[in-house]
């Protein structure tokens, strides 16, 4: 029988069992090595209140803390919410990582 993926859609190589994690959007349990992982970094304060807080701050150049969060998605939920896209048969074979998004340029 033909194989769709070289790693069978998992990153388990040599481990018999992998713990499961909760999908962020569908709350289904997914093996940790199969889940789509994303690291979200956000400001704790929304952008409209940042200036007010910095004006009221006693310390000069105080950097507001950020919120760091690792998020897991199941394959079906990630495709549905467009976190990952379906790739063609030829592109599935490509082993290079996708290009990184270049953030806004500071002036």
């Amino acid at each position: 029988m033909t194989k769709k993926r070289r790693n069978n859609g998992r990153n388990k190589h040599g481990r018999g069992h992998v713990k499961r994690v909760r999908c962020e959007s569908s709350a289904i349990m997914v093996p940790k090595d199969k889940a789509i992982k994303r690291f979200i970094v956000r400001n704790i304060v929304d952008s409209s209140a940042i200036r007010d807080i910095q004006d009221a701050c006693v310390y000069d150049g105080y950097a507001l803390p950020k919120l760091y969060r690792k998020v897991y998605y199941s394959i079906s939920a990630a495709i549905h919410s467009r976190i990952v896209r379906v790739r063609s048969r030829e592109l599935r074979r490509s082993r290079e990582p996708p290009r990184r998004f270049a953030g806004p340029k500071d002036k």
Side-chain angles (χ1 to χ4, degrees):
M1 191 166 169
T2 57
K3 274 179 81 170
K4 194 170 185 181
R5 286 173 192 83
R6 172 178 167 161
N7 63 356
N8 298 320
R10 308 216 24 186
N11 191 18
K12 187 171 68 94
H13 307 293
R15 284 183 280 280
H17 184 75
V18 179
K19 297 252 184 197
R20 291 173 174 258
V21 292
R22 282 260 178 218
C23 170
E24 186 72 17
S25 60
S26 64
I28 196 171
M29 296 293 281
V30 188
K32 188 174 180 179
D33 61 327
K34 188 172 189 172
I36 307 293
K37 299 164 226 16
R38 292 291 180 263
F39 199 68
I40 297 175
V41 181
R42 291 177 46 198
N43 288 323
I44 289 179
V45 183
D46 61 331
S47 59
S48 61
I50 286 179
R51 187 171 176 205
D52 298 335
I53 290 173
Q54 286 179 342
D55 290 343
C57 186
V58 177
Y59 302 108
D60 293 332
Y62 177 71
L64 287 168
K66 292 188 179 289
L67 189 71
Y68 299 95
R69 194 157 168 234
K70 182 127 185 213
V71 177
Y72 298 99
Y73 295 98
S74 65
I75 301 291
S76 58
I79 291 171
H80 179 72
S81 56
R82 297 190 186 123
I83 293 161
V84 291
R85 303 280 171 133
V86 177
R87 295 191 292 173
S88 67
R89 186 174 288 175
E90 293 81 29
L91 289 177
R92 248 182 258 147
R93 301 278 171 240
S94 119
R95 306 265 302 153
E96 66 182 45
R99 291 187 331 182
R100 289 187 159 249
F101 170 71
K105 301 281 182 184
D106 292 331
K107 293 182 180 178

